[in-house]
């Protein structure tokens, strides 16, 4: 078999862990498999490098940031290769460029465009274990790019796709994908199987156990993904096209703290205003999530919406500049919020989900600022201070109580 294994930052955080992972990789190799391992930077290296960069220059250029950040992953693959040699096995480490990973030009948040796997293939043919630096690529100008936070998952899924791997294992610091972040929700349970679509929703709504793009990639190229622990041998979570229906029709919940809301107050109530606001933001390449329009004073209206925290400054500046063209009296923002979502493919056919979620929040005394729904998810915006408490309350309402009744309805 050809197996791609990805190890996250905490799995390779120190020497002992590097050696443990080396053992796992070589065990897989020894069993007769071809192995490609994608590694992240050790522990908090990426955060530390960001901090270093911004302390030298708070406006560090994205090109140089990518140059610096990519060194974290390079350290990991070189060290892992040395550790594997020490165990008596053949291995070779490759940077993203050496592995033929070509990306779009956006330096710090680039997308993989294509992979030329010639070098990887040559090394595999030589019976080498191939170690690839995650999270990085090269753009058409020959500059190093990085692929966005958490993107070593994406590197792994993309490599698995292009090589036609039999399996892509994502090794991390929890035993799989849970019904909620197990570090926050104490009753969270491990999920055995999950469909690509459900995982895609969970990931995009803030469950950082897998990067969203990695799931997109795996779905598109039919890569079988398994999320499991690098510290235990427990079976993990399989993510695939079709999966058996589990007990509940809610697959899980996710919390995203990387959100901020903006409200424009006193807009004229006439056609074209929303278009002006959101086309302006689109031009700035800022994605908008939940949008709420409400009636303001004196025949005016207010529009509130959410953006990623990292886009807040730029969004406010752009809107402020266009104040007269859009025509609002006031602009306010709030970066102290979080988005809590419940996700499940079986939700569409059951009308009780929203009310159950709102009841749990109401019982916990938690105020809802905005609501947004789709076929397979319901999201609410709440105060960030309430996020962990809300996640526990909503989780337990769905997963600890009346489970029987819900399973029957489904
Ligand atoms: P890695 O460094 O291995 O990529 P990450 O920190 O990116 O690890 O992702 C793993 C973390 O994701 C877990 O430690 C956990 O706190 C968090 N997490 C959030 N939601 C979930 C979930 N639904 N299931 C499992 N883990 C989750
Ligand atoms: N090291 C990068 C990050 O911290 C990529 C990754 O871990 O997947 O975001
Ligand atoms: Mg990660």
């Amino acid at each position: 078999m050809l197996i791609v294994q990805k190890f996250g930052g905490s799995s390779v955080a120190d020497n002992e862990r590097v050696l443990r992972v080396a053992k796992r990789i070589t065990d897989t190799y020894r069993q007769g498999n071809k192995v490609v391992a994608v590694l992240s930077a050790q522990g908090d290296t990426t955060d530390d490098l960001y901090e270093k960069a911004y302390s030298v220059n708070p406006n560090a250029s994205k090109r140089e940031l990518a140059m610096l950040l990519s060194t974290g992953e390079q350290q990991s693959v070189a060290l892992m290769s040395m550790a594997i040699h020490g165990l008596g096995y053949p291995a070779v480490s490759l940077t993203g460029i050496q592995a033929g990973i070509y990306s779009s030009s956006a330096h710090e948040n680039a997308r993989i465009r294509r992979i030329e796997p010639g070098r990887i293939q040559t090394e595999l043919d030589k019976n080498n274990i191939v170690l690839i630096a995650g999270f990085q690529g090269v753009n058409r100008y020959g500059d190093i790019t990085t692929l966005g936070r958490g993107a070593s998952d994406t590197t792994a899924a993309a490599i698995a796709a292009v090589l036609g791997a039999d399996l892509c294992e994502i090794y991390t610091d929890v035993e799989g994908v849970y019904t909620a972040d197990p570090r926050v929700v104490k009753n969270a349970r491990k999920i055995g199987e999950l469909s690509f679509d459900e995982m895609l929703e969970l990931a995009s709504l803030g469950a950082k156990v897998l990067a969203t793009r990695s799931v997109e990639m795996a779905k598109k190229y039919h890569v079988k993904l398994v999320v499991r622990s690098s510290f235990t041998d427990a079976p993990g979570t399989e993510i695939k096209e079709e999966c058996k229906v589990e007990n509940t029709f809610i697959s899980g919940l996710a919390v995203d703290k990387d959100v901020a809301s903006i409200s424009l107050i006193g807009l004229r109530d006439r056609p074209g205003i929303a278009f002006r606001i959101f086309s302006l933001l689109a031009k700035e390449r800022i994605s908008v999530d939940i949008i709420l329009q409400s009636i303001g004073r004196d025949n005016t209206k207010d529009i509130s919406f959410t953006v990623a925290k990292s886009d807040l400054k730029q969004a406010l500046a752009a809107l402020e500049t266009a104040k007269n063209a859009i025509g609002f009296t006031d602009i306010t923002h709030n970066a102290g919020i979080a988005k809590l979502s419940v996700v499940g493919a079986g939700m569409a056919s059951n009308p009780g989900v929203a009310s159950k979620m709102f009841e749990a929040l109401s019982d916990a005394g938690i105020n809802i600022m905005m609501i947004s729904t789709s076929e397979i998810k319901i999201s609410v915006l709440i105060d960030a201070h309430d996020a962990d408490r809300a996640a526990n309350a909503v989780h337990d309402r769905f997963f600890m109580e009346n489970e029987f009744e819900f399973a029957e309805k489904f």
Side-chain angles (χ1 to χ4, degrees):
M1 289 219 294
L2 172 58
I3 301 179
V4 173
Q5 301 184 321
K6 178 259 172 178
F7 297 89
S10 50
S11 305
V12 293
D14 54 32
N15 287 351
E16 190 204 322
R17 291 182 182 188
V18 167
L19 288 168
R20 189 177 349 192
V21 167
K23 172 93 180 24
R24 199 181 274 273
I25 293 173
T26 54
D27 280 350
T28 310
Y29 178 82
R30 204 159 35 85
Q31 288 156 12
N33 301 299
K34 289 195 175 294
V35 186
V36 175
V38 173
L39 306 184
S40 293
Q42 293 184 286
D44 297 329
T45 302
T46 307
D47 289 334
D48 295 345
L49 290 173
Y50 262 111
E51 216 180 289
K52 220 173 199 171
Y54 289 130
S55 62
V56 169
N57 179 351
N59 298 314
S61 90
K62 292 195 187 303
R63 181 191 184 280
E64 304 308 333
L65 269 174
M67 187 76 161
L68 183 69
L69 295 175
S70 61
T71 63
E73 271 68 14
Q74 285 188 42
Q75 290 184 26
S76 292
V77 285
L79 284 169
M80 187 61 70
S81 192
M82 295 168 194
I84 291 175
H85 293 160
L87 295 176
Y89 292 90
V92 62
S93 62
L94 300 176
T95 62
I97 303 168
Q98 290 174 312
I101 301 174
Y102 292 87
S103 75
S104 63
S105 49
H107 288 289
E108 202 197 350
N109 201 14
R111 294 183 84 100
I112 296 177
R113 290 280 185 242
R114 68 175 202 286
I115 297 181
E116 290 179 7
R119 177 72 190 273
I120 305 176
Q121 207 62 64
T122 308
E123 298 298 341
L124 286 173
D125 291 343
K126 288 196 270 186
N127 280 328
N128 275 321
I129 292 170
V130 183
L131 304 164
I132 299 177
F135 174 60
Q136 56 181 262
V138 60
N139 67 16
R140 63 191 162 119
Y141 306 106
D143 285 338
I144 294 180
T145 57
T146 49
L147 309 173
R149 295 310 303 263
S152 294
D153 298 336
T154 313
T155 304
I159 296 278
V162 76
L163 295 177
D166 298 287
L167 179 62
C168 179
E169 294 180 312
I170 307 286
Y171 286 91
T172 183
D173 56 2
V174 288
E175 285 188 355
V177 180
Y178 283 66
T179 49
D181 186 341
R183 297 188 193 289
V184 174
V185 174
K186 75 173 188 310
N187 293 321
R189 294 185 207 157
K190 188 163 74 182
I191 303 171
E193 295 184 354
L194 208 57
S195 71
F196 283 123
D197 287 334
E198 286 172 303
M199 189 63 234
L200 209 49
E201 285 287 325
L202 279 175
S204 66
L205 292 167
K208 72 166 183 164
V209 61
L210 280 177
T212 307
R213 280 182 206 163
S214 71
V215 188
E216 280 170 5
M217 196 85 75
K219 177 178 154 81
K220 187 163 170 194
Y221 297 102
H222 311 286
V223 174
K224 185 171 156 194
L225 280 181
V226 174
V227 178
R228 51 187 300 198
S229 164
S230 64
F231 305 109
T232 73
D233 284 326
T237 302
E238 279 187 35
I239 297 146
K240 48 192 185 185
E241 206 61 64
E242 296 292 332
C243 55
K244 64 174 192 285
V245 176
E246 295 204 358
N247 274 354
T248 57
F249 58 91
I250 302 292
S251 45
L253 67 150
V255 175
D256 187 356
K257 293 186 179 166
D258 181 29
V259 280
S261 67
I262 296 177
S263 299
L264 298 175
I265 319 279
L267 292 156
R268 280 161 295 170
D269 193 10
R270 67 163 81 137
I273 298 291
F275 170 66
R276 269 186 223 170
I277 298 167
F278 297 111
S279 61
L280 173 75
L281 294 168
K283 240 185 252 147
E284 299 272 328
R285 306 198 130 274
I286 294 170
S287 304
V288 171
D289 186 20
I290 304 178
I291 301 174
L292 184 81
Q293 179 172 301
S294 52
I295 311 237
R297 268 186 239 143
D298 307 327
N299 288 330
T300 63
K301 62 185 178 188
D302 303 339
I303 291 185
S304 301
F305 53 90
T306 61
V307 296
K309 258 186 197 149
S310 50
D311 287 334
L312 179 63
K313 224 163 90 181
Q314 193 190 343
L316 289 172
L319 290 164
E320 213 43 274
T321 310
K323 183 171 182 178
N324 288 334
I326 298 170
F328 56 86
T329 52
D330 238 327
I331 180 168
T332 61
H333 67 274
N334 184 354
I337 56 174
K339 184 170 72 171
L340 170 69
S341 311
V342 296
V343 173
M347 185 185 290
S349 51
N350 192 306
V353 178
S355 83
K356 205 168 177 78
M357 181 181 192
F358 301 155
E359 184 188 33
L361 291 168
S362 150
D363 288 352
I366 290 162
N367 187 39
I368 301 172
M369 302 172 185
M370 289 193 213
I371 299 170
S372 135
T373 65
S374 81
E375 286 245 305
I376 68 166
K377 66 124 211 261
I378 301 172
S379 300
V380 295
L381 224 55
I382 54 179
D383 191 301
H385 293 113
D386 293 331
D388 292 358
R389 208 160 51 84
N392 276 282
V394 173
H395 179 274
D396 290 357
R397 190 63 59 109
F398 280 109
F399 289 97
M400 306 301 284
E401 298 167 16
N402 298 336
E403 203 176 30
F404 230 55
E405 174 200 327
F406 264 79
E408 259 167 28
K409 268 192 201 161
F410 185 52

